[in-house]
């Protein structure tokens, strides 16, 4: 056989070996659909922002304080006028309350409701109503005026017009829309920092495994201490990165419209929120880092690291989507599920800190998350001891699949 056909045959053999070793693995399907997954990242962020907006709109109400006879007229007017608006410009839900005591005092007290966001309140006779609205609810106040005008014409001569007196009142606290937006920003901040910084742990463990350093460390100290020490050390690097850029961005944000971070008004207070943000970032990093550390300890090549890291990243994207939906519906079963599930708990609980003032749930959540960090580290150390150090059960099933694919090309 001449040199050229032999070289061609050898080249095709090597090419077939690399192709089979890469394609004939179960995780390659995830790699194959990676463009779709990456394209969905933006969609998930958009859906999260849409959920925030929809959740805030559902909790925004207009209030009319009216006697039963006037209430029936207002409901009839609302049924006639509301269908005229397109779905994206529909007025907030109309809530009619019976008078109790001074109508003006009752109207002002309505703005202090903690569970709903009152945009405007109408009280007094329909022909001369007093309408109070917040500074960002001009359309809500105008809609109440239109309702009073139509109800007046239904009760009296159609030529009779209502003359409203509209005033602007200051909101006692942040609106539901501002709270939801602040919660979403906090969730996204922890998610981005965690996903951006925790990937360093994978390469560190794989590199020391290839250099046989990890075996030396495991012989000197317990393997769980090795895993936890490396995780804490890499977290120190991430914390230094966050502190540096946090100081820089905090100074830049003071020049932005609205005062930057000063415009946030979390339920627990700004000081407690800053502490909880740092604590939940630490827990999110340690949780995800413990999983990445276990992956890096099992993988021996960069190809294995990349393919095994992709499913973890996809799961983390799912946790972000779950937490984003949870913060827009505080107190729901979805929010409770996101706050309890360990991988989504740090994201959901930082949103909870924006929406609620209680501090004791955060103590329980931090203890719960720390417990799962210990569990993940113990599982990772056990898998490494059994699969790599060969001091327990044989190599895992996924590892045998990689080995079978590597031999398939020969």
């Amino acid at each position: 056989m001449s040199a050229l056909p032999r070289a061609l045959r050898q080249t095709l053999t090597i090419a077939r070996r690399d192709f089979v070793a890469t394609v004939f693995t179960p995780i390659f399907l995830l790699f194959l659909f990676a463009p779709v997954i990456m394209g969905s990242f933006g969609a998930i962020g958009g859906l999260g922002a849409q959920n925030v907006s929809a959740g805030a709109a559902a909790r925004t109400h207009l209030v009319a304080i009216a006697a039963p006879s006037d209430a029936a007229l207002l409901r009839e007017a609302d049924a006639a006028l509301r269908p005229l608006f397109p779905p994206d410009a529909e007025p907030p839900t109309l809530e009619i309350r019976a008078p109790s005591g001074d109508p003006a005092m009752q109207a002002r007290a309505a703005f202090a409701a903690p569970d709903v966001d009152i945009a405007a309140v109408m009280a007094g006779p329909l022909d001369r109503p007093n309408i109070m609205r917040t500074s960002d609810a001009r359309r809500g106040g105008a809609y109440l005026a239109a309702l009073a005008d139509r109800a007046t014409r239904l009760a009296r001569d159609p030529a009779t017009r209502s003359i409203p007196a509209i005033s602007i009142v200051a909101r006692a606290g942040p609106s539901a829309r501002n709270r939801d937006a602040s919660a979403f920003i906090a969730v996204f901040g922890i998610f981005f920092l965690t996903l951006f910084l925790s990937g360093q742990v994978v390469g560190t463990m794989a590199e020391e495994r290839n250099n046989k350093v990890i075996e030396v460390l495991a012989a000197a100290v317990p393997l769980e201490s090795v895993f936890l020490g490396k995780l804490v050390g890499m977290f120190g690097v991430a914390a230094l990165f966050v502190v540096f850029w946090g100081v820089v961005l905090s100074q830049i944000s003071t020049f932005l419209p609205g005062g930057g971070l000063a415009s946030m008004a979390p339920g627990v207070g700004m000081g407690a929120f800053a502490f909880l943000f740092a604590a939940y970032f630490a827990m999110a990093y340690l949780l995800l880092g413990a999983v990445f550390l276990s992956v890096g300890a099992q993988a021996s090549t960069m190809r294995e690291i990349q393919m095994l890291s992709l499913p973890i990243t996809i799961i983390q994207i799912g946790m972000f989507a779950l937490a984003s939906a949870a913060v827009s519906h505080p107190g729901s079963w979805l929010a409770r599920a996101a706050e309890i599930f360990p991988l989504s708990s740090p994201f959901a609980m930082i949103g909870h800190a924006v929406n609620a003032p209680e501090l004791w749930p955060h103590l329980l959540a931090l203890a719960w998350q720390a417990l799962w960090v210990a569990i993940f580290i113990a599982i990772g150390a056990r898998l490494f001891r059994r699969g790599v150090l060969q001091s327990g059960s044989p190599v895992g099933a996924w590892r045998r699949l990689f080995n079978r694919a590597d031999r398939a090309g020969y």
Side-chain angles (χ1 to χ4, degrees):
M1 182 182 293
S2 62
L4 182 59
R6 183 168 56 251
L8 180 60
R9 182 171 176 271
Q10 293 170 347
T11 300
L12 292 177
T13 300
I14 297 300
R16 182 169 62 89
R17 183 262 179 194
D18 287 350
F19 179 81
V20 172
T22 302
V23 173
F24 287 89
T25 55
I27 307 177
F28 179 75
L29 289 176
L30 295 173
F31 177 76
L32 188 65
F33 289 101
V36 178
I37 297 170
M38 297 299 295
S40 65
F41 288 178
I44 291 175
L47 288 175
Q50 185 177 2
N51 285 334
V52 169
S53 178
R59 299 200 304 274
T60 302
H61 289 185
L62 299 174
V63 174
I65 301 174
S69 57
D70 292 340
L73 294 173
L74 289 173
R75 290 192 181 95
E76 184 178 353
D78 182 58
L81 294 180
R82 188 172 293 272
L84 301 179
F85 293 86
D88 57 344
E90 186 176 351
T93 302
L94 177 64
E95 180 182 350
I96 299 179
R97 302 178 183 179
S100 60
D102 186 2
M105 295 293 295
Q106 184 180 359
R108 290 188 177 276
F111 288 97
D115 52 343
V116 293
D117 189 7
I118 303 301
V121 181
M122 179 175 65
L126 295 180
D127 57 342
R128 294 183 178 275
N130 294 316
I131 299 176
M132 302 179 185
R133 67 170 179 87
T134 59
S135 58
D136 57 348
R138 182 177 181 180
R139 292 183 178 180
Y143 184 71
L144 286 179
L147 289 181
D149 185 66
R150 186 174 182 87
T152 299
R153 285 183 288 167
L154 289 174
R156 303 181 182 181
D157 183 12
T160 305
R161 304 302 301 267
S162 173
I163 304 176
I166 301 178
S167 59
I168 299 176
V169 297
R171 198 183 296 273
S175 65
R177 189 178 300 274
N178 288 340
R179 287 196 304 269
D180 287 351
S182 299
F184 180 77
I185 291 173
V187 170
F188 180 79
I190 291 184
F191 164 76
F192 175 79
L193 291 174
T194 305
L195 196 63
F196 177 70
L197 297 171
S198 62
Q200 305 174 48
V201 182
V202 184
T204 301
M205 180 60 82
E207 179 183 355
E208 294 199 351
R209 178 192 164 181
N210 292 335
N211 295 336
K212 305 300 182 182
V213 175
I214 192 69
E215 285 84 350
V216 177
L217 294 175
V221 295
L223 199 55
E224 289 78 9
S225 298
V226 175
F227 273 56
L228 181 58
K230 296 183 73 62
L231 189 58
V232 172
M234 295 307 298
F235 172 72
V237 176
L240 182 61
F241 176 91
V242 172
V243 169
F244 173 78
W245 283 107
V247 172
V248 173
L249 294 179
S250 65
Q251 298 303 314
I252 295 177
S253 66
T254 58
F255 300 99
L256 298 178
L261 296 177
S263 61
M264 295 184 64
V268 296
M270 200 61 193
F273 176 78
F275 172 79
L276 290 174
F277 185 90
Y280 285 129
F281 164 68
M283 288 295 110
Y285 182 93
L286 294 175
L287 284 167
L288 186 59
V291 177
F292 273 127
L293 196 66
S294 302
V295 170
Q298 298 294 318
S300 58
T301 64
M302 287 304 300
R303 186 191 69 193
E304 295 178 6
I305 291 175
Q306 291 171 356
M307 287 191 171
L308 290 171
S309 298
L310 182 58
I312 300 174
T313 303
I314 295 172
I315 293 174
Q316 201 66 8
I317 294 293
M319 295 301 99
F320 167 67
L322 175 62
S324 299
V327 297
S328 61
H329 300 87
S332 64
W333 67 267
L334 180 64
R336 292 291 176 262
E339 291 166 3
I340 293 174
F341 191 72
L343 292 178
S344 62
S345 181
F347 309 127
M349 287 305 299
I350 194 62
H352 185 90
V354 175
N355 290 317
E358 297 84 8
L359 289 175
W360 65 265
H362 301 285
L363 300 178
L364 294 178
L366 290 172
W368 172 251
Q369 294 158 23
L371 173 64
W372 276 97
V373 171
I375 292 174
F376 287 154
I377 290 177
I379 293 175
R382 182 165 181 166
L383 291 175
F384 183 80
R385 186 179 291 114
R386 290 186 173 185
V388 179
L389 299 183
Q390 300 295 319
S391 59
S393 61
V395 180
W398 70 268
R399 185 74 175 136
R400 292 197 300 270
L401 287 173
F402 273 115
N403 293 339
R404 189 180 300 119
D406 288 338
R407 294 193 299 267
Y410 292 101

